[in-house]
Amino acid sequence: MKKIVSFLIVLIFFFSCAVLTKSADDASVKENIDTVSGSKNNTNNIVIDSNMVRKHLYTLAADNMEGRKSGTPGIEKAAVYIEDEFKKIGLSTFGDLESYRQTFTFKNRKSKDDIISSNIIGVLEGKSKKDEYVIISAHYDHLGMKKSGAGDLIYNGANDDASGVTGVLALAAYFKKVGHERTIVFAAFTAEEMGLIGSTYFGKDIDAAKFVAGINLEMIGKTPSFGPNTAWLTGFERSDFGKIIQKNLKGSGYQLFPDPYKNFNLFFRSDNASLARLGVPSHTFSTTPIDIDPDYHQVSDEAETLNITVITQTIQAVAIGTESIINGEDTPTRVILEGTNKGT
C-alpha cells in the first residue's frame, strides 16, 4: 500500500511540473508575440506574421522581377503578385474600376516613349464612417536593370520599396481581420521612381475632401539613426498626424520621430506628396538612415541586407499608431504647404 501511495505522489509531482512548464512556455510565447512593446501585459496585441513579411519581401525583390521598372515584364510580375494577394485577403475594387488595376499611359520624361502601367488598388469598406477614407500606400516600381556590364545588373529594390509594399499587404490582412470604421484604400503605386506619376494619376479623379489621412510606407527595412523600435515621419510639422501617432504609441515601446533629413526634401519625394498637394494630411513612414545608406538606388539593395524584425515591428507600430484614425476617433488637421518647397 505504501508503494502505491509513493507511486501516486511521484506521479502527481511530475504532472504538476509538466503543467507548470507548459504554463511558462505559453507565457513565453505570449511575451514573444508582442514584439513591439516587449510588455507582457500590453493591450495592443498587434500581431504581424514575420514569415509572411519575409515571403512578400523576398518575392517582390527577387531577381525574376528584374527590378520592377514601370512598363517592363518585371513589374507586370509584381503587379500580378499584389493582385493575387489582394484577392486572397478579400479586398474589393476601388470606385468604378472593374479590377484592382488602374491602368494608364504616360510619357517617359527621359526617353519620351509612351509607357503603359498600372496602380494596384484594393479597398476595405468601412462601417460607421464608410464615406471617410484613409489610404495606405507604397510604390511597387523600382529602377529595373543595367543595360550592360559585369556582375549583378538588377536593381532589386528590396528596401526601396518592396519593404513598403510588404507593409501594405500585411496591414490589409490585419485590418481585414480586426475591422475598422473608416474605409481603407490600399494602393501599390507605379512609376514613383519616374516622378510620382502613379500617385499623381490616382489623385486626379478622387474627391480629396473625403480622404482624411494618407499613410505611406517607404524604405522600412533598416534600423534608424534613432535606434531600434523607432521610425521617422516626413512632414511632421505640416499637420498633427504625427502627434496622433505618437499619442497612440505611448506605452508600446516604439517611438516615432520627425524626419531628421530636412535637407533631402523627402516630404515631396515620395507618393504622399501627390495627396498632400490636394490638402490630404498624407505622410511617409521610414526607418532607413538615408544619409549614410550604401544601398540606396544601388544593385546591392537586396532582401538579404534588410532586417525582417525591423520591418515587422514597424508594420505593427503603424497599425497601433494609426488605429484611432482608421476607426474615426481622431482626424488629422489638413496639411500645410504654404511657404514651403513644393518641388520634387
Side-chain angles (χ1 to χ4, degrees):
M1 182 67 180
K2 290 181 179 180
K3 289 182 179 180
I4 294 175
V5 172
S6 298
F7 173 75
L8 290 173
I9 292 173
V10 171
L11 186 63
I12 291 171
F13 172 77
F14 280 110
F15 178 75
S16 299
C17 288
V19 170
L20 288 172
T21 300
K22 185 179 186 302
S23 298
D25 289 342
D26 288 346
S28 176
V29 169
K30 185 177 181 181
E31 183 176 355
N32 288 335
I33 285 174
D34 190 6
T35 56
V36 170
S37 70
S39 169
K40 299 177 185 178
N41 299 313
N42 182 15
T43 57
N44 296 308
N45 283 323
I46 308 297
V47 180
I48 301 296
D49 183 356
S50 61
N51 291 323
M52 187 58 68
V53 167
R54 178 181 293 275
K55 172 182 175 289
H56 292 328
L57 177 70
Y58 275 74
T59 300
L60 290 166
D63 283 352
N64 68 353
M65 297 287 179
E66 300 176 336
R68 307 188 310 276
K69 186 175 182 178
S70 295
T72 67
I75 198 172
E76 173 61 21
K77 292 178 183 177
V80 170
Y81 179 80
I82 297 166
E83 285 179 305
D84 288 345
E85 292 302 314
F86 278 6
K87 185 175 181 179
K88 289 177 187 176
I89 294 167
L91 303 189
S92 58
T93 56
F94 177 71
D96 296 329
L97 296 178
E98 296 181 356
S99 72
Y100 296 127
R101 296 196 181 214
Q102 183 183 50
T103 303
F104 60 99
T105 302
F106 66 95
K107 193 171 292 293
N108 186 316
R109 294 175 181 175
K110 292 183 179 180
S111 69
K112 306 304 180 183
D113 293 333
D114 286 338
I115 296 175
I116 300 173
S117 196
S118 302
N119 295 324
I120 312 300
I121 309 169
V123 177
L124 287 176
E125 187 175 75
K127 297 177 183 176
S128 62
K129 298 187 176 185
K130 66 180 182 180
D131 292 327
E132 298 178 6
Y133 295 77
V134 176
I135 182 169
I136 300 177
S137 63
H139 71 91
Y140 75 109
D141 68 303
H142 196 53
L143 303 177
M145 299 178 62
K146 292 183 178 180
K147 294 181 179 179
S148 62
D152 189 358
L153 302 179
I154 302 172
Y155 294 98
N156 297 81
N159 199 25
D160 184 14
D161 191 26
S163 66
V165 178
T166 294
V168 171
L169 294 174
L171 289 168
Y174 171 75
F175 285 113
K176 173 67 174 180
K177 181 178 180 181
V178 302
H180 46 94
E181 297 305 314
R182 282 173 165 149
T183 292
I184 312 175
V185 178
F186 298 91
F189 290 125
T190 187
E192 188 265 4
E193 300 286 6
M194 294 181 174
L196 315 185
I197 291 172
S199 56
T200 300
Y201 184 86
F202 171 81
K204 287 180 179 180
D205 294 324
I206 65 170
D207 182 353
K210 291 185 176 181
F211 282 77
V212 299
I215 301 162
N216 192 54
L217 306 178
E218 177 90 67
M219 299 175 65
I220 59 171
K222 297 187 177 183
T223 302
S225 57
F226 299 106
N229 290 318
T230 64
W232 46 270
L233 188 78
T234 64
F236 191 94
E237 71 286 353
R238 297 177 185 275
S239 78
D240 66 356
F241 177 93
K243 291 181 179 179
I244 293 171
I245 306 304
Q246 287 179 328
K247 175 196 70 174
N248 292 339
L249 286 175
K250 284 183 179 178
S252 72
Y254 199 101
Q255 291 180 281
L256 181 70
F257 293 91
D259 170 16
Y261 309 108
K262 296 297 176 62
N263 292 339
F264 286 74
N265 199 29
L266 296 176
F267 182 76
F268 292 103
R269 289 175 57 186
S270 193
D271 287 313
N272 67 282
S274 299
L275 291 182
R277 289 189 175 95
L278 301 176
V280 180
S282 182
H283 301 261
T284 293
F285 289 84
S286 186
T287 67
T288 300
I290 190 67
D291 57 333
I292 59 172
D293 182 31
D295 305 312
Y296 176 66
H297 281 192
Q298 302 296 318
V299 294
S300 57
D301 185 7
E302 304 262 9
E304 291 79 9
T305 67
L306 305 188
N307 189 320
I308 297 298
T309 299
V310 169
I311 299 174
T312 305
Q313 291 178 340
T314 301
I315 297 168
Q316 290 173 318
V318 171
I320 295 171
T322 61
E323 182 180 13
S324 66
I325 296 174
I326 286 172
N327 282 326
E329 299 162 12
D330 285 314
T331 300
T333 55
R334 303 303 278 181
V335 76
I336 297 173
L337 298 179
E338 291 78 3
T340 62
N341 183 357
K342 299 182 184 181
T344 58

